Amino acid sequence: HHDVGTLLGDLEGPEPGLRELRTALTVHLDVTRRHPTVSQFQDDLARTYMSIGDLQREAGDRAAALLSMHQSLEIREALAKANPGVFWNQNQVAASHLNIGIVHFEADDFAAAEQSFQRALAIQAPLAAANPDKPTLTSTLGRIAYRLGQAQLATRRPAEAMDSIEAAMRHHRAAFSRTPQVEVFRRYLADDYLALARVHRMLGNPAAALAAA
């Protein structure tokens, strides 16, 4: 049900996807009640809550999206605490903070967005540093830095935004150099250059902005 729901969300829009995902949620809640100690079932439940939140966000219901995402975050934090040596759980906690921050950003609550991005950064930075052979972790770190830079730009702090965007570029270059066949890493790097151009424009450097773009 989960995979069908996310696919329907992509093909037909949020509502068909949400109907299928809510069915998946019912199944996962029942399974986790019967098998509360199985980490995989908890992870599946957290993933379903996050997918529901993504579609609620797409549908414009940010309050519902935040509720679903926080439910996912709570489960993922418990998994990370119970399994501190499993990098996947830590990565998912950071990703949850990132997604929550994006919802806040889209609601123009830049302070809350930045707080979420900083929480994600505090988790993902040491995780990526400890696993340099995993470019997905490095790319996620880059995306967090990019989003943090966007929040800093929105509050007209271009110097801080410059630091964040340049960090994003370093991380995305590192991920892309390891796996150039992954197209999304290239797209993320392109986003970084556009954000850098915005920073230069805000700083009053049109020539540098043109060069970055």
Side-chain angles (χ1 to χ4, degrees), residues 32-211:
T32 53
R33 274 193 294 266
R34 289 188 285 117
H35 303 280
T37 62
V38 180
S39 296
Q40 183 60 57
F41 294 158
Q42 296 288 339
D43 187 61
D44 290 342
L45 178 60
R47 181 176 66 141
T48 300
Y49 272 124
M50 186 57 67
S51 295
I52 288 172
D54 286 339
L55 288 184
Q56 288 168 328
R57 167 188 163 230
E58 187 179 331
D61 192 346
R62 294 192 181 101
L66 286 173
L67 178 60
S68 296
M69 289 179 178
H70 276 288
Q71 288 172 303
S72 177
L73 174 61
E74 183 178 345
I75 297 167
R76 286 172 169 173
E77 286 180 328
L79 284 170
K81 184 177 180 180
N83 304 277
V86 180
F87 78 84
W88 169 256
N89 293 329
Q90 301 289 338
N91 179 66
Q92 292 302 95
V93 173
S96 295
H97 283 300
L98 172 60
N99 289 335
I100 289 168
I102 291 170
V103 177
H104 285 306
F105 184 89
E106 291 175 348
D108 293 337
D109 189 347
F110 303 125
E114 184 169 352
Q115 186 178 57
S116 291
F117 298 147
Q118 292 284 12
R119 287 173 177 164
L121 191 67
I123 297 167
Q124 196 72 14
L127 189 63
N131 297 274
D133 59 325
K134 295 180 172 59
T136 299
L137 298 182
T138 305
S139 178
T140 299
L141 178 58
R143 205 59 179 168
I144 293 166
Y146 166 82
R147 287 290 185 173
L148 177 60
Q150 294 290 298
Q152 291 161 335
L153 267 176
T155 50
R156 304 197 66 78
R157 290 144 57 206
E160 293 174 63
M162 176 81 78
D163 289 341
S164 297
I165 297 302
E166 287 180 342
M169 294 175 76
R170 287 195 301 274
H171 300 315
H172 285 141
R173 281 197 197 102
F176 181 68
S177 67
R178 274 190 166 270
T179 50
Q181 70 274 17
V182 180
E183 182 60 30
V184 71
F185 293 169
R186 186 195 299 272
R187 292 204 304 271
Y188 287 164
L189 194 54
D191 289 344
D192 296 339
Y193 278 107
L194 290 175
L196 186 62
R198 287 188 59 207
V199 172
H200 282 303
R201 282 197 296 271
M202 189 175 288
L203 289 169
N205 299 324
L210 185 61

